[in-house]
Every structure is written in structure tokens, then in C-alpha cells.
């Protein structure tokens, strides 16, 4: 019986449900207009299936909820902090922990400590908050991801890889002393959740070691990256996700973490480092920006839920089902000929808006437009990852990223396969009437991270 599939299924059953509100086309039309055609400005109650982000939107387990009841809300030295510290050391392998309210809190502290004015921070593609904190600290981000990452057609299995020759050129040009660290992300978000290979991480470690440069890991989705290494990289087929995660981290000197993604909590993050000096400074600085170093802006119960979530996040069954669901949605879209970034990434499907709406120029915001159209069709909320998200350079010019994408991000353990069908069908319906869709103009633009709050109007 060789043709019987060995399907993944959710390694949990449902104990409680949250009812969803269905909307009419007229209601959605009004809601979208009121929101300035920015899906970030929609009210959640007007949304049917919410794929805006996988950040803080995961469903916690009964064990995590039980952990919430064990919160030790002492101002200093909460028991939950020590639990979290133990799990971070155990599962991730980093020595010292500073909790923060979420990922950007850790980025702020780390950037302030390590970056001096005029420094260069190479990274495998930018991330919005990460780059902004690097710039606010006086640094300049330089992209060193391989060219394949910018090509939505390339099926290279590790599109998150660092191009070592790009890094070497930067070191030669600026000198190692101008490069405080290399910022390396696993499951590169802006490239479509594309993984970096273990081989590449090993090479990065060797090169940076030679020049005395640190590697700081944006480990927001490290477990999802580990799954792709297990599936695609020779020598890792038999290793557990837990083992792979630990090996990835072993090639880096520290990490910033948004626990709202991989770690299955609704709020939380941390900075973790192996260097005592950096830790000491960070432990002091966290008091200014987040809170005492044994809570960093979190309640004790949040830290407990995070500690339990981290353990659950590196289970092989969990990750197989998690990524399996994303791949299921991607394959449905491919069946409907909807152009998506391939290979399918770990946390969502990225629709290629330049290919979907080739008649709309980047100045008329094709991805922003498409996200609005998907919502109007079905109440499914997605988000733009293109020219709006990329923002402006220091001189005021727009960044024009090669990738102009709409992200369908899948929250962990929240939606079912039937929801995935409904989502793919909506994308297919909008694709059928793509010729009739016109672009938009921006009518309000905030100074920082404009994609969150910008407003638009339809072009006629
Ligand atoms: C979400 C995210 C961050 C920032 O974390 P927050 O918890 O949202 O502050 C940083 N890096 C990546 C790759 C992310 O996805």
C-alpha cells in the first residue's frame, strides 16, 4: 500500500472555541474605507480569518494556561524568571537571559550596547524593527543575503543564507572594527520565512571568528528553520528539532527573541547572550527601558507561559503540523495559479503582488492594494510586505524592495484545514478579477514604521 499518504494532523484536540463574526460585503466595504485601506487599522471584530500576523496570535495549551495560574508576581526574583532562565539555557543554549516585553525591547537594548555611530551591521535581509533600532543607535544596515532571496521564482532550498562574499567585501571595505556584529535571522521573515542552512551558519561562524566579529541571532522563528534543516539538509534527517535548534544557536554569540512567534505566547521576548560583559550592561539598561532584570516588562505569569511554550515549540510533532498547515495552504494557492513565493516558507504564504497585479506600478502600492481586495472579498485579513513596509531612506527617498508581497501569516494552533480552504478560494477569486483592480495613493504617512498607520485612497 505504498500510495497511502502519511499525513500530518494537529497533535492536540480542541477544548475551547472562540466564535467568529461573519460580515457582509457592504460591511467590509465600509470597514476597509474607514481603515484607510490599511489592514492594520481594521477592527479585529470586523475580521473573519485573521492572517495579519503570527505574532502573539498563537493558541496557548492547557499547560500554558495552567502555568499562568502559577505566576509569582513578586517585583524582584520571581520564581517564573528562574524557570524561564533554566529553559532558555536548556533548550536554546544561551548563558544569560534578560527578559523584555517583546522582541523590539531586546533589539533596542542590544543595539544601544553594541552599536556606535558610523558602524555597519550586515544582516541576511532587514527586518523592520531590527533595522530601525540599528539606525537609531547610529548604525547602518547592509544586506548580505544571497541573491536568490530577492527572487520570488528561485526554488533554492535555503534562501535565508548569507552570501559570504558580500560579507567579506564589507569587512574589506569598512574594516572589522566598524562591524560590531552580524545580524543573522533564522526563517527570514521578509524573504518569505525562508530558512538558513546549518552549513551556512557554520561558515558564517568561521569567517566572523577569524575577524573577531560577533554573530547576533534573531531567533524569532528558529524552530521553524530547524524543521527545514531536518527536512532538507543532509545529515539532519534523524536529528530532533531540539537538537537542531541548539546547534544553530551554538554558532552565534547571543540572540534577540520575539516569543510572540515560535514560543507560543501572546506577549514576551528576551535578549540572551553568552558574553558576561554584554550581559552586565544589558541587565543594567533593561531597568531603564523595560523593568527590573527579573521581569523585563513581563508579568510573572507571562514568563511561566513562555517557559512552557518554548518547550512545546521544539517538539517534532508540533513543528511538523505547524509547517504542514502552511504548506497545505501554499499548495492550494499553487493549484489555483495564484503566484506565491517558493519554496513555501515556515510561517505563512507570501503572494507575489508584482506578478498578481503586473499593471500596478510600485508607486501605486500593489501589495497594499491586494491586501485590501482580499479583505473585501472574504473578510480574511492579510498584510503588505512591500514598498510601504520598506519605508524611506535617511535622505527621504522610498526604498523600492524587489519583493512586493502580501503575507498570509498563519497563527499557530488556531485555524483548521477548512479555514485554509476558504483562504485559498478567496485569493483565487480575487485573482480571477485581477485585471479590474486599480492601485492606491497614500494620503497619510507617519514618520516611523509607516506600514502600521499609513492611510490610502483608491485611484480611479
Ligand atoms: C516580530 C519580529 C521582531 C520584533 O519582535 P516584536 O515582538 O514584534 O517586538 C523581530 N524580528 C523578527 C524576524 C520578527 O518577526
Amino acid at each position: 500500500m505504498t500510495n497511502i499518504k502519511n499525513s500530518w494532523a494537529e497533535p492536540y484536540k480542541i477544548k475551547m472555541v472562540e466564535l467568529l463574526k461573519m460580515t457582509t460585503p457592504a460591511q467590509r466595504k465600509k470597514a476597509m474605507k474607514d481603515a484607510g485601506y490599511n489592514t492594520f487599522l481594521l477592527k479585529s471584530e470586523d475580521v473573519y480569518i485573521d492572517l495579519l500576523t503570527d505574532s502573539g496570535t498563537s493558541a496557548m495549551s492547557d499547560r500554558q494556561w495552567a502555568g499562568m495560574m502559577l505566576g509569582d508576581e513578586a517585583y524582584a526574583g520571581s520564581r517564573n524568571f528562574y524557570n524561564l532562565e533554566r529553559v532558555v539555557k536548556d533548550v536554546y543554549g544561551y548563558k544569560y537571559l534578560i527578559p523584555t516585553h517583546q522582541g523590539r525591547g531586546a533589539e533596542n537594548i542590544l543595539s544601544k550596547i553594541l552599536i556606535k555611530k558610523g558602524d555597519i551591521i550586515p544582516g541576511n535581509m532587514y527586518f523592520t524593527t531590527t533595522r530601525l533600532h540599528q539606525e537609531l543607535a547610529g548604525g547602518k544596515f547592509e544586506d548580505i543575503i544571497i541573491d536568490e532571496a530577492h527572487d520570488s521564482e528561485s526554488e533554492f532550498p535555503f534562501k535565508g543564507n548569507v552570501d559570504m562574499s558580500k560579507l567579506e567585501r564589507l569587512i574589506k571595505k569598512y574594516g572589522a572594527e566598524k562591524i560590531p556584529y552580524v545580524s543573522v535571522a533564522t526563517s527570514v521573515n521578509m524573504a518569505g520565512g525562508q530558512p538558513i542552512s546549518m552549513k551556512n551558519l557554520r561558515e558564517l561562524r568561521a569567517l566572523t571568528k577569524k575577524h573577531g566579529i560577533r554573530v547576533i541571532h534573531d531567533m524569532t522563528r528558529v524552530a521553524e528553520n530547524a524543521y527545514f534543516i531536518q527536512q532538507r539538509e543532509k545529515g539532519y534527517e534523524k536529528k530532533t528539532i531540539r537538537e537542531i535548534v541548539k546547534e544553530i544557536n551554538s554558532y552565534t554569540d547571543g540572540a534577540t527573541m520575539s516569543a510572540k512567534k515560535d514560543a507560543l505566547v501572546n506577549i514576551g521576548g528576551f535578549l540572551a547572550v553568552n558574553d558576561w560583559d554584554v550581559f552586565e550592561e544589558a541587565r543594567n539598561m533593561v531597568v531603564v527601558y523595560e523593568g527590573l532584570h527579573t521581569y523585563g516588562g513581563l508579568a510573572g505569569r507571562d514568563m511561566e507561559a513562555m517557559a512552557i511554550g518554548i518547550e512545546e515549540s521544539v517538539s517534532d510533532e508540533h513543528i511538523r503540523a505547524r509547517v504542514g498547515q502552511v504548506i497545505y495552504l501554499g499548495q492550494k494557492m499553487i493549484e489555483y495559479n495564484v503566484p506565491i513565493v517558493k519554496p513555501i516558507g515556515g510561517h505563512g504564504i507570501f503572494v507575489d503582488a508584482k506578478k498578481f497585479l503586473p499593471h500596478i506600478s510600485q508607486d501605486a502600492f500593489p501589495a497594499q492594494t491586494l491586501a485590501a481586495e482580499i479583505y473585501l472579498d472574504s473578510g480574511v485579513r492579510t498584510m503588505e510586505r512591500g514598498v510601504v513596509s520598506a519605508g524611506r531612506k535617511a535622505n527621504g527617498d522610498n526604498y523600492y524592495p524587489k519583493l512586493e508581497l502580501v503575507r498570509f501569516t498563519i497563527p499557530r494552533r488556531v485555524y483548521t484545514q477548512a479555514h485554509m480552504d476558504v483562504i485559498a478560494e478567496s485569493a483565487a477569486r480575487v485573482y480571477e478579477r485581477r485585471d479590474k483592480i486599480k492601485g492606491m495613493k497614500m494620503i497619510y504617512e507617519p514618520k516611523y514604521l509607516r506600514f502600521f498607520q499609513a492611510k490610502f485612497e483608491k485611484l480611479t
Side-chain angles (χ1 to χ4, degrees):
M1 290 283 114
T2 48
N3 59 350
I4 296 179
K5 280 207 296 185
N6 183 19
S7 290
W8 60 270
E10 292 78 2
Y12 51 82
K13 56 185 178 174
I14 295 165
K15 195 184 299 240
M16 193 199 280
V17 297
E18 178 179 341
L19 299 183
L20 297 173
K21 188 177 119 182
M22 313 291 271
T23 48
T24 63
Q27 285 170 330
R28 292 196 291 275
K29 196 170 169 188
K30 179 171 187 312
M32 194 73 269
K33 191 156 184 282
D34 291 348
Y37 297 94
N38 184 345
T39 50
F40 275 101
L41 300 178
L42 285 166
K43 290 188 183 133
S44 151
E45 61 170 18
D46 292 328
V47 172
Y48 170 36
I49 300 173
D50 203 346
L51 309 183
L52 186 71
T53 173
D54 62 332
S55 179
T57 53
S58 298
M60 293 208 295
S61 67
D62 51 355
R63 290 168 64 245
Q64 285 178 290
W65 280 106
M68 298 283 280
M69 294 305 293
L70 301 175
D72 170 4
E73 307 305 342
Y75 189 89
S78 158
R79 167 188 350 119
N80 314 114
F81 167 77
Y82 297 104
N83 288 345
L84 179 61
E85 192 184 39
R86 182 170 36 76
V87 169
V88 167
K89 205 178 281 178
D90 232 44
V91 175
Y92 293 144
Y94 294 114
K95 276 195 209 154
Y96 308 116
L97 167 75
I98 295 109
T100 56
H101 77 286
Q102 58 184 82
R104 68 198 71 183
E107 291 169 350
N108 174 38
I109 292 168
L110 181 88
S111 304
K112 282 203 160 73
I113 292 174
L114 292 183
I115 299 172
K116 293 188 306 298
K117 198 166 162 26
D119 279 353
I120 303 294
I121 301 93
N124 55 345
M125 204 171 263
Y126 83 99
F127 182 74
T128 54
T129 59
T130 319
R131 184 179 67 192
L132 183 56
H133 278 299
Q134 291 163 357
E135 289 171 349
L136 290 173
K140 181 164 178 276
F141 172 84
E142 289 273 3
D143 192 5
I144 53 163
I145 203 163
I146 56 171
D147 290 339
E148 285 87 340
H150 294 282
D151 173 6
S152 73
E153 286 282 282
S154 162
E155 302 234 13
F156 189 70
F158 292 104
K159 284 165 89 172
N161 278 358
V162 167
D163 184 329
M164 294 302 156
S165 61
K166 287 185 188 171
L167 178 56
E168 278 180 322
R169 271 202 298 277
L170 285 178
I171 297 173
K172 208 171 256 161
K173 184 168 170 198
Y174 297 101
E177 62 293 343
K178 279 269 172 225
I179 302 178
Y181 61 92
V182 173
S183 174
V184 70
T186 36
S187 297
V188 180
N189 193 344
M190 304 300 277
Q194 300 294 327
I196 179 168
S197 75
M198 200 70 92
K199 180 166 173 283
N200 190 251
L201 281 160
R202 238 181 268 124
E203 288 166 4
L204 177 66
R205 175 74 293 177
L207 179 64
T208 50
K209 200 168 176 184
K210 202 171 95 191
H211 293 279
I213 299 172
R214 285 193 179 88
V215 176
I216 299 294
H217 178 196
D218 183 339
M219 66 178 302
T220 296
R221 295 182 184 81
V222 65
E224 288 162 12
N225 196 115
Y227 180 72
F228 288 118
I229 289 177
Q230 187 189 54
Q231 298 301 306
R232 296 175 186 165
E233 195 162 349
K234 223 172 141 259
Y236 289 91
E237 310 83 347
K238 295 254 157 58
K239 297 231 158 135
T240 63
I241 294 299
R242 215 181 152 107
E243 288 166 337
I244 297 171
V245 163
K246 207 147 180 192
E247 184 178 339
I248 292 172
N249 296 351
S250 76
Y251 301 129
T252 70
D253 302 293
T256 54
M257 174 63 157
S258 171
K260 303 171 69 172
K261 322 303 183 16
D262 244 12
L264 299 164
V265 286
N266 303 122
I267 192 74
F270 60 77
L271 172 64
V273 292
N274 290 333
D275 230 309
W276 173 262
D277 294 351
V278 179
F279 170 63
E280 227 188 353
E281 209 174 330
R283 187 174 55 175
N284 188 214
M285 199 176 277
V286 75
V287 185
V288 181
Y289 293 102
E290 305 276 319
L292 192 68
H293 60 278
T294 56
Y295 76 86
L298 296 170
R301 55 181 174 267
D302 297 331
M303 292 188 282
E304 192 63 28
M306 198 197 303
I308 297 167
I310 289 170
E311 292 276 1
E312 291 178 1
S313 77
V314 292
S315 123
D316 281 55
E317 304 84 71
H318 162 70
I319 282 290
R320 183 174 178 232
R322 154 64 173 163
V323 181
Q325 186 178 48
V326 175
I327 291 173
Y328 176 86
L329 174 61
Q331 276 163 351
K332 279 259 149 179
M333 296 241 197
I334 291 169
E335 279 168 32
Y336 287 123
N337 295 316
V338 174
I340 66 168
V341 175
K342 288 184 261 181
I344 295 163
H347 66 298
I349 300 304
F350 291 68
V351 171
D352 187 336
K354 278 188 184 169
K355 290 218 175 69
F356 199 114
L357 300 170
H359 55 287
I360 299 181
S361 85
Q362 225 168 351
D363 282 314
F365 313 112
Q368 190 76 32
T369 303
L370 181 52
E373 292 294 334
I374 298 277
Y375 173 77
L376 290 169
D377 179 76
S378 57
V380 171
R381 170 155 72 170
T382 59
M383 71 173 278
E384 194 257 16
R385 274 296 182 228
V387 66
V388 183
S389 293
R392 289 181 190 275
K393 300 177 193 171
N395 71 3
D397 292 349
N398 276 318
Y399 284 105
Y400 287 99
K402 270 201 199 129
L403 296 178
E404 179 74 26
L405 308 174
V406 175
R407 190 175 82 175
F408 291 62
T409 344
I410 314 298
R412 296 165 187 77
R413 311 195 290 203
V414 172
Y415 293 113
T416 66
Q417 196 151 311
H419 288 116
M420 298 303 122
D421 291 340
V422 167
I423 295 159
E425 288 157 19
S426 177
R429 263 194 310 274
V430 175
Y431 191 62
E432 273 193 345
R433 60 174 176 80
R434 63 190 177 278
D435 295 342
K436 299 199 184 68
I437 297 171
K438 294 197 181 76
M440 300 199 294
K441 65 174 182 205
M442 202 186 305
I443 54 167
Y444 166 68
E445 178 174 356
K447 189 161 164 212
Y448 299 113
L449 303 175
R450 64 182 180 182
F451 58 96
F452 282 129
Q453 292 153 338
K455 290 199 169 190
F456 301 83
E457 235 167 40
K458 278 191 171 190
L459 291 173
T460 48

